[in-house]
Amino acid sequence: MTQLIPQGQPGEHTLPDDLNQSHAGAAIAAKPVGGGVARRGFLQRTGTGAAALLLAGVTGKVLAAAPTPGDPNRVKLSLIQDPQTEQAESTPDPAAAPDQRVGYAIVGLGRLSLNQILPAMSQCKYSKVVALVSGDSDKARKVGRQYGVREDAIYDYHTYERMADNREVQVMYVVLPNGMHAEYTVRAAAIGKHVLCEKPMAVSSVECQRMIDACRKAQRFLMIAYRSQYEAMDRMIARRVKEKQLGPLREFIAGNSQNVGDPAQWRLNLALAGGGPLPDVGIYCLNAARFLSGEEPHEVIASVFRPADDPRFREVEQSVHFVLRFPSGWSATCMASYASHESRFFRLQGAQGWAEMNPAFGYNGLQMRKGTLVEGKNATIDITIDPENQFAREIDHMSLCVARNQTPHTPGEEGLQDQRIVEAIYESARSGRAVRIAQPPGPTRGPDPDEETF
Ligand code: NDP
């Protein structure tokens, strides 16, 4: 069985054993399991109560407590609602002060960084942006001014390694075209930085393994940014499945499509993208089938379509359909397209009910419904919960993992397993046959994100 990360195991939360000592490196030291102190023991020593979570900043000092319900540090306001019958108005817990947050370098200032990730930083409680990496220095300076990043913390792809000397940078968030993820992750690990890498992890399973090995060797964490796994409604469905509320699973149906424009964009270039809609948007369907069910598929049959007369699809497929079969007898039927109007949805059906999201996978506007028997009638129930910024949740999860020396919920192994399945899907489409998928050699996920701290 492979270890997820050498310095921490799923379920085993560890903290550096001397949080009051300054660390020599730029990042919080990720100590081996044996060198850490079990979280429970540490919390008893500090006397802050079992629910308190401690954050250590760049200096390695105990810097802030993130209070949880019942904790004396929690901000207390009188309740208007009856908590037995109504959701209490939530009062944000105190966030870590700016000088105590985990520092990020954003690598690549494209659409996702500018439109989602950087704005989301203002909603983070434990994270801050301290450096930018871009091939366009004018853009980077403007963005730096907007987000308060110093000019001497703006780098390009040639000066990347100089960040080794920037102690404020603890995590490099790689937001580059897919074909560049492996190189910039390996280079980040080599200078002692933790890595948060966008999906898909890379363009081959060989590259994914190289990224895992590089981070393991450097004793740095690697997390893949599967934001849906940190999104509240997706998490609610995964919990219902675990509690068997849907009964035995039978089918999953999912689609993720968008109509792409510019034929010159990197998403249509095989080397930079690793494929067409499958690794870009189809991966959400694939990852949801695995994460919502907690099961791993053992076989896939797939087909892809590439029209000869559309200049957008000279190198990559226009659409993909695949059916994943799972050992317990259910199947997931998924499709993804680059030539259909935006459409994102899934439905998970069990013997006793179903749960769906439509839209699913998006940044906002998500809707959830469930179907179940109520008083002898087939009922459909809409569930709408307060939206939260998925990017802020996933980034703060990474920060808490760095501070606690804990394996992220979606480490490199999670991305590697998706990439193995992507390769099996393409192989099935090429051969026209069902392809077996090996079970991963060990767990692919770390501990669940701590809902209370979000
Ligand atoms: P963009 O094309 O908008 O941005 C990519 C950026 O990478 C560019 O702006 C550029 O930044 C930099 N870059 C460096 N070299 C190249 C190159 N050869 N070609 C193109 N860009 C280059 O892409 P996105 O922001 O949409 O996607 C980036 C990553 O994020 C991808 O891996 C994608 O899959 C993922 N993604 C994830 C989403 C999610 O919801 N989690 C949603 C959208 C994307 P600069 O000019 O600063 O150097």
Side-chain angles (χ1 to χ4, degrees):
M1 187 189 281
T2 51
Q3 269 190 320
L4 280 175
I5 301 284
Q7 64 273 32
Q9 292 296 309
E12 185 175 4
H13 302 192
T14 60
L15 286 163
D17 58 3
D18 188 354
L19 288 170
N20 288 312
Q21 222 171 54
S22 285
H23 293 296
I28 293 172
K31 293 195 173 181
V33 173
V37 172
R39 183 171 163 237
R40 186 175 302 141
F42 178 84
L43 292 168
Q44 277 165 358
R45 260 199 308 166
T46 59
T48 54
L53 303 168
L54 300 177
L55 286 179
V58 258
T59 59
K61 287 183 180 142
V62 175
L63 293 165
T68 54
D71 190 297
N73 292 326
R74 195 175 177 85
V75 172
K76 282 190 185 135
L77 293 180
S78 61
L79 273 182
I80 297 171
Q81 298 91 346
D82 173 358
Q84 303 300 319
T85 59
E86 288 183 22
Q87 178 185 333
E89 183 186 357
S90 68
T91 306
D93 286 328
D99 63 339
Q100 299 167 341
R101 296 178 180 216
V102 172
Y104 284 72
I106 307 300
V107 183
L109 300 179
R111 266 177 303 271
L112 188 69
S113 296
L114 297 179
N115 298 348
Q116 304 299 331
I117 294 170
L118 283 162
M121 282 285 177
S122 67
Q123 292 182 50
C124 286
K125 297 201 293 187
Y126 311 118
S127 319
K128 62 180 174 181
V129 56
V130 294
L132 300 173
V133 180
S134 174
D136 179 339
S137 58
D138 283 348
K139 172 174 64 175
R141 270 199 295 274
K142 278 184 203 150
V143 174
R145 280 197 290 277
Q146 184 182 352
Y147 288 97
V149 175
R150 293 196 319 263
E151 284 227 1
D152 64 357
I154 291 175
Y155 303 85
D156 62 30
Y157 303 109
H158 304 291
T159 57
Y160 195 73
E161 274 70 19
R162 287 195 200 147
M163 261 183 290
D165 300 326
N166 186 337
R167 292 186 46 152
E168 275 203 307
V169 176
Q170 292 167 273
V171 181
M172 314 271 265
Y173 191 166
V174 177
V175 201
L176 295 166
N178 312 339
M180 300 171 74
H181 291 182
E183 177 187 346
Y184 285 87
T185 294
V186 170
R187 285 171 65 180
I191 56 167
K193 307 298 183 182
H194 302 284
V195 179
L196 175 54
C197 177
E198 263 308 325
K199 49 55 58 182
M201 182 172 175
V203 296
S204 74
S205 48
V206 171
E207 280 192 352
C208 293
Q209 191 61 57
R210 198 151 57 83
M211 294 159 77
I212 292 170
D213 293 344
C215 291
R216 181 175 290 154
K217 185 169 166 223
Q219 296 212 337
R220 289 296 176 259
F221 291 116
L222 170 59
M223 172 171 147
I224 310 304
Y226 284 112
R227 64 181 160 74
S228 295
Q229 293 205 32
Y230 302 88
E231 192 281 318
M233 283 185 265
D234 286 88
R235 297 202 59 73
M236 192 182 276
I237 295 173
R239 272 196 304 277
R240 281 163 192 260
V241 171
K242 209 171 181 181
E243 291 161 2
K244 310 269 184 242
Q245 291 189 27
L246 303 186
L249 296 182
R250 301 295 191 221
E251 299 90 17
F252 176 77
I253 306 141
N256 198 351
S257 303
Q258 60 196 39
N259 200 2
V260 297
D262 180 9
Q265 63 182 293
W266 66 262
R267 279 183 166 76
L268 302 170
N269 172 310
L270 185 60
L272 281 175
L278 175 58
D280 189 27
V281 291
I283 200 164
Y284 286 88
C285 307
L286 157 58
N287 193 257
R290 297 178 49 238
F291 139 73
L292 295 172
S293 67
E295 282 190 49
E296 294 295 342
H298 65 162
E299 189 179 72
V300 67
I301 181 135
S303 64
V304 296
F305 175 62
R306 188 155 68 85
D309 57 351
D310 190 327
R312 295 176 298 175
F313 305 114
R314 286 201 191 97
E315 298 193 14
V316 303
E317 76 277 2
Q318 173 193 287
S319 58
V320 57
H321 296 76
F322 55 96
V323 179
L324 299 163
R325 297 199 179 103
F326 289 78
S328 68
W330 64 285
S331 61
T333 303
C334 306
M335 63 184 173
S337 170
Y338 263 173
S340 298
H341 183 72
E342 183 175 308
S343 167
R344 314 185 197 284
F345 64 91
F346 70 73
R347 181 183 279 198
L348 182 55
Q349 302 183 158
Q352 291 156 28
W354 52 259
E356 73 172 23
M357 287 183 65
N358 188 1
F361 312 133
Y363 304 143
N364 41 46
L366 304 179
Q367 296 283 337
M368 177 181 164
R369 289 201 307 167
K370 69 173 186 170
T372 188
L373 195 67
V374 178
E375 295 183 7
K377 309 257 188 246
N378 286 339
T380 301
I381 300 168
D382 285 293
I383 300 177
T384 307
I385 57 176
D386 291 344
E388 287 166 321
N389 189 303
Q390 299 165 48
F391 291 94
R393 285 171 70 109
E394 77 177 5
I395 295 166
D396 269 349
H397 174 73
M398 178 69 180
S399 299
L400 286 172
C401 288
V402 167
R404 293 171 178 171
N405 196 21
Q406 174 189 305
T407 302
H409 177 56
T410 51
E413 283 74 3
E414 178 72 351
L416 169 62
Q417 186 60 15
D418 270 352
Q419 182 57 36
R420 284 189 178 129
I421 298 169
V422 163
E423 290 169 7
I425 290 170
Y426 281 134
E427 191 188 327
S428 172
R430 258 192 311 271
S431 66
R433 296 209 173 95
V435 171
R436 300 294 294 178
I437 302 165
Q439 291 293 297
T444 66
R445 292 180 202 108
D448 281 338
D450 199 332
E451 314 280 349
E452 289 172 340
T453 58
F454 286 128

